[in-house]
Amino acid sequence: MNVLVVGAGGREHTICWKLKHSQIVKKIFCAPGNAGIGLIAQTVNIKVNDISGLINFVKKNRIDLTVVGPELPLTLGIVDEFRKRKLRIFGPTKAAAELEGSKVFAKEFMRKYHIPTAPFQVFSEFPDAISFVKSAAMPIVIKADGLAAGKGVIVAKTFDEAADAIERMLLKKEFGKAGEKIIVETCLQGQEISVMAFSDGKNIRVMLPSQDHKQIGEGDTGPNTGGMGAYCPVKFIDDSTMEFVSEHILEPTIAGLEREGRLYRGVLYAGLMLTESGPKVLEFNCRFGDPETQAVLALLKTDIGRIFSATAEGNLSGTKIEWFPGSAACVILASKGYPGKAETGKRITGLRNYTDKKCQLFHSGTRKEGKNWVASGGRVLGVTGINHDLKSALGSAYDVINSIKFDGMYYRNDIGFKANLQIKTVGI
Ligand code: AMP
Ligand code: GLY
């Protein structure tokens, strides 16, 4: 097959890298990609939201399968447009991608299908939301309904913080349309994990669990980012908890979507809180997580080209998915200022090809200036260590990081610090 990957980050670099190892993949294109992706795939200068541009490219270049990385084109309906034209594509339809595109839809869907999640209320009027929060217990969580680049969730410790978030969303309209409706929900306590599954619209294949590190600072401090690192698998989730996640969260979600005629052929990502009374959904994403993908796919043994094909065709029932033993851990190298305004344009030194299989480098935001590599984004590189256990995987990643340098380079030194926790989830 000739495959087109849509996206430009570390997640898409990882997908291209796995496709490179597929027995059934001939040529890999990536739109728009980045300079690092350009080392293993042919990059194409088309934006992820230029759906007609992507369709034209696919037709002209005899692309057999398109794989969509980010949520934006999915929520814009790229899959529906491709399917109308009988073009094969991996990703949920617009109606199914609403699970990520609208948190109000996702929460009401979960309530309807009894999928465990935090209790919540929806508001669109400022006074109603304020009077509800006045009598609610703190902390409390305020969420903008629509896509808000990871900034639409505020965990408020006091009434004043909650009121401020509500004011910014409903009165000041800082989030535009995304903040016209808000969710006010109970704050859950526990460990956060990510579980992704391939779904062909009926059948699912659950991937190994992983844990992201959303906050910028060590020890999970400071503002949220897109993710500063991830490791896989997560040993503190036992088999029975994974079975619960599959049976009570992932399967009913896909079954509910199918019942409502919302076709889901792609990756369903559940962000979960492992609470004392069992796993509960914090959020759904309609795509691979970033940087979870850089750790999870590093352990995938089965040919990803075959998995993508079977998923896109609605044919996963005959596909068995196997994993390599051991652990993988991805550490993100970011530019100074991230997650605020990042300083870009800094020259990167120390990049080379890592061929010992214990480390893979995934580019999130790099470009070439002549012979030099230059940082071009907030998240710049993901360094994934792969080894027989988590400690050695992290060692492999941090060893390589020691040789990479750019002005203002920042990374967390504590990825995986919660991996040895003993978690007791009861009530499941
Ligand atoms: P979301 O974009 O919905 O995943 O929310 C971003 C982050 O906010 C999550 O990763 C959690 O750390 C936090 N969060 C969201 N909902 C809750 C909740 N109900 N209780 C506690 N933390 C939450
Ligand atoms: N790492 C979290 C996400 O991809 O949304």
Side-chain angles (χ1 to χ4, degrees):
M1 308 189 286
N2 291 330
V3 183
L4 171 68
V5 176
V6 177
R11 164 183 52 206
E12 288 76 21
H13 193 174
T14 313
I15 293 170
C16 290
W17 168 66
K18 290 303 286 190
L19 283 168
K20 196 96 190 140
H21 291 89
S22 168
Q23 304 264 319
I24 61 168
V25 171
K26 208 159 60 189
K27 205 152 181 210
I28 308 165
F29 298 86
C30 187
N34 63 39
I37 294 175
L39 298 173
I40 56 168
Q42 187 174 323
T43 56
V44 186
N45 192 14
I46 306 174
K47 293 208 174 83
V48 301
N49 58 357
D50 179 3
I51 295 176
S52 55
L54 292 166
I55 289 172
N56 287 339
F57 179 83
V58 161
K59 283 188 177 159
K60 238 189 224 150
N61 292 276
R62 298 170 189 273
I63 302 293
D64 302 290
L65 176 69
T66 300
V67 178
V68 187
E71 62 278 15
L72 180 63
L74 295 166
T75 55
L76 291 175
I78 188 172
V79 171
D80 309 66
E81 293 304 317
F82 271 59
R83 286 178 60 83
K84 261 190 230 159
R85 293 167 178 80
K86 305 254 179 294
L87 301 171
R88 269 163 96 222
I89 186 158
F90 176 93
T93 54
K94 184 177 182 178
E98 248 196 296
L99 264 194
E100 175 166 1
S102 164
K103 287 188 192 291
V104 171
F105 170 77
K107 292 293 287 190
E108 285 172 348
F109 179 91
M110 286 188 263
R111 177 141 68 193
K112 184 167 170 190
Y113 293 99
H114 310 291
I115 293 160
T117 189
F120 70 101
Q121 300 263 4
V122 179
F123 295 98
S124 51
E125 301 299 331
F126 179 75
D128 298 347
I130 290 290
S131 75
F132 176 80
V133 167
K134 247 182 205 150
S135 55
M138 296 295 138
I140 198 153
V141 185
I142 316 291
K143 298 184 173 184
D145 174 41
L147 295 181
K151 299 195 172 103
V153 176
I154 286 103
V155 181
K157 288 187 213 76
T158 61
F159 169 76
D160 286 348
E161 278 178 37
D164 179 61
I166 295 169
E167 190 179 321
R168 285 170 48 214
M169 290 176 192
L170 290 181
L171 281 189
K172 294 189 182 151
K173 314 264 183 217
E174 274 180 33
F175 295 81
K177 237 181 134 33
E180 275 177 4
K181 283 195 258 176
I182 64 166
I183 285 163
V184 179
E185 74 177 38
T186 306
C187 188
L188 300 173
Q189 307 294 334
Q191 276 301 305
E192 270 187 73
I193 56 151
S194 310
V195 179
M196 302 188 281
F198 295 102
S199 158
D200 70 357
K202 278 185 197 303
N203 309 286
I204 61 165
R205 292 289 178 273
V206 182
M207 297 182 228
L208 294 178
S210 57
Q211 186 170 44
D212 189 8
H213 297 66
K214 290 199 182 185
Q215 283 166 284
I216 188 79
E218 283 168 14
D220 291 344
T221 52
N224 269 351
T225 68
M228 293 302 294
Y231 67 93
C232 167
V234 181
K235 291 281 160 61
F236 60 70
I237 308 170
D238 56 22
D239 290 350
S240 70
T241 308
M242 281 303 281
E243 268 167 39
F244 180 93
V245 170
S246 193
E247 272 175 37
H248 295 273
I249 294 175
L250 300 168
E251 284 169 16
T253 299
I254 294 301
L257 290 168
E258 190 194 5
R259 207 164 116 183
E260 299 190 1
R262 299 170 189 263
L263 183 69
Y264 205 115
R265 291 184 176 169
V267 170
L268 175 63
Y269 166 128
L272 304 173
M273 188 76 93
L274 295 184
T275 74
E276 281 191 343
S277 56
K280 301 208 187 320
V281 178
L282 293 173
E283 63 163 342
F284 281 123
N285 292 325
C286 60
R287 49 163 175 90
F288 280 110
D290 188 337
E292 288 93 331
T293 301
Q294 288 88 312
V296 175
L297 290 190
L299 296 179
L300 177 67
K301 191 171 174 190
T302 307
D303 186 324
I304 203 164
R306 293 187 197 279
I307 299 176
F308 284 157
S309 262
T311 305
E313 309 237 296
N315 222 353
L316 259 184
S317 60
T319 306
K320 188 164 176 251
I321 296 192
E322 292 183 305
W323 301 91
F324 292 118
S327 284
C330 174
V331 181
I332 296 291
L333 309 183
S335 296
K336 190 172 177 186
Y338 182 72
K341 192 172 162 20
E343 279 180 19
T344 56
K346 306 293 180 194
R347 182 172 163 206
I348 310 167
T349 57
L351 297 188
R352 58 179 175 86
N353 260 336
Y354 298 93
T355 47
D356 62 1
K357 298 214 162 107
K358 289 201 181 121
C359 188
Q360 287 296 327
L361 208 56
F362 299 116
H363 293 234
S364 305
T366 63
R367 62 185 157 79
K368 282 295 272 297
E369 272 180 14
K371 282 202 182 116
N372 293 332
W373 289 96
V374 171
S376 64
R379 291 193 289 180
V380 179
L381 292 158
V383 183
T384 297
I386 306 155
N387 219 315
H388 56 272
D389 61 18
L390 179 59
K391 196 162 171 248
S392 335
L394 285 162
S396 305
Y398 284 115
D399 271 355
V400 164
I401 288 171
N402 280 332
S403 64
I404 300 175
K405 291 190 173 48
F406 56 90
D407 255 10
M409 176 173 113
Y410 171 80
Y411 60 92
R412 276 180 64 165
N413 244 310
D414 67 344
I415 299 307
F417 78 108
K418 291 177 291 191
N420 293 323
L421 290 177
Q422 297 294 321
I423 306 282
K424 275 266 156 290
T425 48
V426 295
I428 60 173

